[in-house]
Amino acid sequence: MRSFVQTVDLGSITAAAERLKIAQPALSRQIQALEQELGVTLLRRHGRGVVPTAEGRTMAERARQILNDIDAMARDVVASDHRLRGTITLGLPPTVAEVLAEPLVSETLRLHPEVRMRIVSGFSGHVQDWLQRGTIDIGVTYQSRRVPLVRSQPLLMERLFLIEPAGAPEEPLLLAEALNRNLILPSPDHGLRRLIDDAAREVGVEPRVGVEIDILPTLISFVERGAGSTILPLVSVFRKVNEGHLVARPIRAPSVDRLLVLWTPLNRETSRLTGPFLDMLNATVRRLVTNGEWPGTEL
């Protein structure tokens, strides 16, 4: 199974053989024996390597889950001295990673120096997909549709602000007024944009969207240069606001909030690392919010 997963991940029997330090013919025989035993074709060969069939993709996903469980079992059995060891993988949206990743890594190194932490970043839909596939242990996303095989718990509430160039007024404004600005927003497929569009429908206002940009640093740069305004959580621009490059205006009547949610998979056994790591993650979030290091949020 490890050989097959490695081959799928690298898309090449040659590359997988080099990574696994075995001969290429031996790896090919392993995969052929697996296909014969199952009675299905798992890989299709082409000029540049191999790609999994539909059956191969299913096999790879299930194999990853089984291998993760085997690794977790080995860690649990070996860790008789009660010290936490092993690897835990956390998925975060980009804006959350900016504020949470560094303090969380520092806390992990301080409290559990033998734990290897891996952080991957992606949009909420990607993080949920990784959880379902078993490629990450814990995920943090903004509130979205419930997904099978994954449990959730609220983490914090984040408020959105109208972000404008330096020199703009700083007082709060109505949501209808914010939506009537020349806005630079993500595309309609983006979770933040869907939240803004839903809020606009509730107040019966059509947002004035001049430009759509899904790359956050580029979007912020255009606002900073005076090309328009945007609607974002405060943490995304907190440093630039403090430096006087941007203005963040609270939105009222109604405010626009989004819930940050913590997810863990239901379809595999929880490792010894998961519980203590969840406690540490929650404690780190509480500290950041309480100390004002995660502005514009409430627990």
Side-chain angles (χ1 to χ4, degrees), residues 240-258:
K240 288 185 178 291
V241 170
N242 281 346
E243 293 171 351
H245 300 303
L246 292 170
V247 172
R249 303 181 63 182
I251 297 173
R252 302 281 187 259
S255 61
V256 185
D257 305 320
R258 60 178 179 174

Side-chain angles (χ1 to χ4, degrees), residues 11-12 46-50:
S12 166
H46 57 76
R48 296 183 301 279
V50 294

Side-chain angles (χ1 to χ4, degrees), residues 218-288:
T218 305
L219 188 155
I220 293 172
S221 176
F222 269 80
V223 175
E224 192 174 357
R225 283 161 24 199
S229 306
T230 191
I231 298 175
L232 289 172
L234 183 55
V235 70
S236 304
V237 293
F238 190 53
R239 185 177 302 171
K240 288 185 178 291
V241 170
N242 281 346
E243 293 171 351
H245 300 303
L246 292 170
V247 172
R249 303 181 63 182
I251 297 173
R252 302 281 187 259
S255 61
V256 185
D257 305 320
R258 60 178 179 174
L259 183 66
L260 200 63
V261 179
L262 187 62
W263 304 83
T264 51
L266 285 167
N267 58 339
R268 56 195 176 95
E269 196 72 26
T270 302
S271 77
R272 288 181 68 248
L273 290 176
T274 304
F277 191 84
L278 286 172
D279 292 341
M280 186 175 61
L281 189 152
N282 277 292
T284 302
V285 168
R286 286 195 298 271
R287 175 171 59 80
L288 291 172

Side-chain angles (χ1 to χ4, degrees), residues 114-130:
E114 296 185 58
V115 171
R116 179 170 171 250
M117 184 177 175
R118 178 170 174 257
I119 297 179
V120 294
S121 180
F123 294 124
S124 293
H126 297 148
V127 173
Q128 288 181 327
D129 183 58
W130 296 334

